[in-house]
Amino acid sequence: MPSPTSTYPALAERLTELSGQAITYDHVRQLLRRLRSDLFFFQDIIQTTPLRMNDGTRLNGFSVADSVKVTVLCRADHLLN
């Protein structure tokens, strides 16, 4: 995640950059909802915080729990050789 707390739009933008495919707000929202319901430990990894934006709208903010270390593997072939 690019910052300590990310919102659905920020996650959608970052995932679009990483994947090279358009990832929409609705895709991210649906993906997180499915992960939350399918993985019993999701709440232990990802913390959800309600945020109020400057224009008065409310969004959920997501951050990785302090007890979790995140590693992004970009080139698996280096590890497999």
Side-chain angles (χ1 to χ4, degrees):
M1 294 186 178
S3 65
T5 301
S6 294
T7 60
Y8 288 123
L11 289 172
E13 181 180 319
R14 188 68 178 138
L15 289 171
T16 296
E17 289 174 15
L18 291 172
S19 69
Q21 298 179 25
I23 307 292
T24 66
Y25 171 95
D26 288 330
H27 287 129
V28 173
R29 191 174 50 79
Q30 186 178 52
L31 174 66
L32 289 175
R33 184 176 48 84
R34 287 179 180 166
L35 287 171
R36 194 176 298 122
S37 66
D38 292 345
L39 300 175
F40 68 90
F41 54 87
F42 183 83
Q43 295 298 333
D44 297 331
I45 298 172
I46 303 295
Q47 297 173 341
T48 305
T49 308
L51 302 173
R52 185 176 293 270
M53 306 311 285
N54 292 337
D55 62 359
T57 58
R58 295 180 194 174
L59 290 174
N60 283 328
F62 302 95
S63 60
V64 177
D66 293 335
S67 62
V68 174
K69 205 171 209 184
V70 177
T71 301
V72 177
L73 180 61
C74 297
R75 298 279 313 245
D77 58 330
H78 291 298
L79 295 175
L80 299 175
N81 289 333

